Amino acid sequence: MKKYFLLASTLLLFAACQNNDENSQNSSTKEKTVETSQTNADSQQTSETISNDNQVNKSQNQTSDNIAMTELQAHYPRERFPMITSVDPTEEIAIAVGEEENTLTVSYYLVDKQIPLNDPLLSNATPIGQFQRILHNTTEEAKNDVAPNTDAGGQATDLGHNIIGHQQSGAGSTYLNWQEGNCSMAIQANNLEGEDPQPLAKEIVEYLEKAFLPAPKDVGSGSFMITSSDYHSNVVAWQEGTTVYKISNENTMNSLKMAVSMNQ
């Protein structure tokens, strides 16, 4: 009888030890699971924090990378301006701003390093681009200021994307005109230099299939030259009520990119 009692006690003790080991293992597994879950949560939170920080930094960089641009926006918080990187994405840009009567003019210059808005160093410099906001008394005045090119004469030319241009020559130049929505476009090529306006026209048409100019209220225009002499050679203009916006750049595509950036 004592043998049976000792055997039963031994079995009960062994079972209890097994249960303790299983409970210990289960507890350890749960702790590892909780620890792993917490680690994954921390990792996810860290990734989200980094992503959010990058988005904030990207947004801040768009406005604060250029000292002069930051000052300009502070002086005119209600005004829209072209993005500074659209003026020339490869160079450092300086800015001068002035107001005369009903015209706000912002001029852009190439510099070696950043300088403040309206720095005296720019007094004798030549701009590479310009932005103007012009207020008129009437809508008709504003429309006339845009001066759209609407000559549909000459030889029909396929510019792609179902856009037909019209090309004609005269007085040593060839002119190619076409329509982009409410905006009329024109390119002037120098015949004496053997310039052909079609490649540039097709490049502009292709670009404007993916990028969008600010929509004019009634009229808009783009006037470009194959060989640019200065920033007046390439001008994009559009009318919004009694207000006219004009953007110019010595580089044709950059003048378009400046205008497009005002939609972003």
Side-chain angles (χ1 to χ4, degrees), residues 45-108:
Q45 184 176 6
T46 301
S47 299
E48 290 175 353
T49 301
I50 293 173
S51 176
N52 291 336
D53 287 344
N54 287 338
Q55 290 177 356
V56 170
N57 290 336
K58 183 178 180 182
S59 176
Q60 289 174 341
N61 287 339
Q62 290 177 350
T63 58
S64 62
D65 274 356
N66 187 283
I67 298 172
M69 190 66 194
T70 302
E71 291 182 80
L72 178 65
Q73 291 174 329
H75 281 293
Y76 300 94
R78 296 180 180 276
E79 288 291 342
R80 294 179 298 163
F81 297 106
M83 291 180 64
I84 194 69
T85 53
S86 66
V87 180
D88 189 322
T90 64
E91 301 290 343
E92 199 72 70
I93 303 297
I95 302 174
V97 61
E99 285 189 83
E100 185 176 347
E101 295 182 354
N102 295 321
T103 302
L104 171 67
T105 300
V106 180
S107 300
Y108 302 92

Side-chain angles (χ1 to χ4, degrees), residues 129-161:
Q130 193 173 83
F131 163 83
Q132 286 187 313
R133 187 261 291 140
I134 307 166
L135 303 178
H136 290 276
N137 294 321
T138 67
T139 301
E140 283 303 314
E141 284 184 10
K143 289 181 182 179
N144 292 333
D145 189 15
V146 172
N149 307 290
T150 55
D151 191 346
Q155 180 182 355
T157 304
D158 185 3
L159 300 179
H161 299 284

Side-chain angles (χ1 to χ4, degrees), residues 218-236:
D218 296 300
V219 293
S221 67
S223 178
F224 314 103
M225 297 182 69
I226 299 294
T227 302
S228 300
S229 57
D230 57 29
Y231 68 94
H232 293 296
S233 300
N234 304 292
V235 181
V236 180

